[in-house]
Amino acid sequence: MREYGSQSMIAPLRKVLVKRPGRTFAGADPAQWHYAARPGLDAARREHDVLVQLLLESGAEVFYHDEPQPERADAIYVYDPAIVTDQGAIVLRMGKELRRGEEAPMALRLEELGVPVLTTLHGEAMAEGGDLLWLDQHTLAAGLGFRTNGEGVRQLGEALQAVGVSVLPVELPYFGGPDACLHLMSLISIVDEKLAVIYRPLLSVPFWQALSARGFRFVEVPPEEFETMGPNVLALAPGRCLMLEGNPITRQRLEAAGCEVQTYRGHEISLKAEGGPTCLTRPILRGWQ
């Protein structure tokens, strides 16, 4: 079996990287980091430990990213500094200036886990993992917004062309402005074959049309559950979902669509700091045995 490769949002999660909350996260100034409130360290660690246990119970092997990163509160959101292709990692360049510097420790940790680095974005390029969504093995959707720019998408396209992947740019709305965290994956998660959870009011028309043309079905998140990260759903395997508790309508709609749904409490690690289950996990290997 392959040791790494994750060109899918739904193939069974086999290996995943996480970062346990530390004092930097708990000590974050909410105004500086655009958090709803200062996270409590003990409660955050308890919530994260439960999340990890759910990942383990799903059959995934869990690795920790233990490199201390003082002054980088968002480093627990390990999805963002890199993506892992079937040929190795592409190290990104964070669009949020406060997160610059997370990239090198992530590259080092991935190499320690046997994942070679294919390329690293440079210059004026910006791209964050939360804007990058695998539509299938050979197509990566890339959100264009405050965290990912045209040069980032161009460099990604060059790197991915060599491994047989095309990039589909997706324009994102202004919404909450440059300080808010609005990634493409704030609006959509793919949870099963041709099944996506979406918040339709903020999804671009051309992207919705492209998904429809590909045969996608949609589970709609109601407005009252958008703020509680209803669209942010991690697929542990096709149709097996992990989402933040407190989104009962979205959960009911997922189950009606044939999905099995588990939830975790994320008051500290998610709601206060704008990062759901996909953000808290960096898949290293997805695939069938």
Side-chain angles (χ1 to χ4, degrees):
M1 187 176 177
R2 293 180 293 113
E3 294 299 317
Y4 59 85
S6 184
Q7 292 179 202
S8 169
M9 305 305 299
I10 63 169
L13 187 61
R14 301 297 182 190
K15 294 182 180 181
V16 63
L17 185 68
V18 300
K19 186 171 183 62
R20 196 166 188 253
R23 298 192 182 281
T24 300
F25 176 67
D29 176 4
Q32 181 185 24
W33 286 90
H34 203 265
Y35 288 2
R38 192 182 300 273
L41 181 57
D42 291 342
R45 284 176 167 171
R46 287 194 297 269
E47 290 176 358
H48 196 269
D49 290 345
V50 170
L51 177 70
V52 168
Q53 186 59 37
L54 290 169
L55 295 172
L56 291 168
E57 290 172 1
S58 78
E61 188 175 3
V62 178
F63 300 90
Y64 281 90
H65 184 23
D66 290 330
E67 176 75 21
Q69 297 193 52
E71 301 181 4
R72 296 188 189 124
D74 278 355
I76 68 164
Y77 300 121
V78 290
Y79 192 86
D80 292 318
I83 60 171
V84 178
T85 75
D86 292 348
Q87 303 300 318
I90 297 177
V91 180
L92 306 173
R93 183 171 180 270
M94 308 299 280
K96 183 176 181 177
E97 289 189 15
L98 287 169
R99 299 194 67 178
R100 298 266 171 86
E102 290 183 34
E103 302 93 339
M106 174 62 71
L108 180 60
R109 184 66 179 120
L110 289 173
E111 288 181 318
E112 290 173 350
L113 294 171
V115 184
V117 172
L118 280 180
T119 191
T120 299
L121 301 194
H122 58 274
E124 297 302 312
M126 297 190 309
E128 294 188 359
D131 282 327
L132 306 178
L133 180 83
W134 293 100
L135 299 185
D136 57 45
Q137 181 79 10
H138 302 291
T139 312
L140 183 72
L144 281 166
F146 291 113
R147 305 296 182 89
T148 297
N149 65 8
E151 178 60 14
V153 171
R154 188 192 69 78
Q155 290 186 24
L156 274 170
E158 284 187 352
L160 288 168
Q161 186 177 23
V163 297
V165 173
S166 62
V167 176
L168 175 66
V170 179
E171 291 190 0
L172 296 178
Y174 183 92
F175 193 55
D179 292 333
C181 181
L182 186 82
H183 283 133
L184 177 61
M185 290 174 61
S186 303
L187 310 177
I188 177 172
S189 296
I190 297 175
V191 294
D192 202 348
E193 190 68 34
K194 303 295 185 182
L195 180 66
V197 182
I198 64 168
Y199 186 60
R200 192 189 299 265
L202 292 182
L203 212 60
S204 80
V205 171
F207 186 48
W208 179 84
Q209 291 171 331
L211 292 170
S212 298
R214 289 169 177 264
F216 272 87
R217 297 173 294 128
F218 303 111
V219 172
E220 302 243 5
V221 174
E224 62 269 29
E225 293 185 3
F226 174 66
E227 292 297 331
T228 49
M229 301 187 191
N232 195 310
V233 183
L234 175 67
L236 302 171
R240 291 178 55 203
C241 305
L242 179 61
M243 66 183 300
L244 184 64
E245 70 179 20
N247 294 290
I249 297 173
T250 304
R251 177 176 184 170
Q252 183 181 41
R253 291 175 179 178
L254 278 164
E255 291 172 339
C259 295
E260 173 189 335
V261 182
Q262 292 178 284
T263 63
Y264 73 100
R265 176 175 172 79
H267 187 265
E268 307 297 321
I269 59 175
S270 294
L271 290 176
K272 285 186 177 180
E274 300 185 302
T278 57
C279 314
L280 289 159
T281 52
R282 164 36 60 199
I284 295 172
L285 176 65
R286 283 186 179 270
W288 285 264
Q289 290 179 331

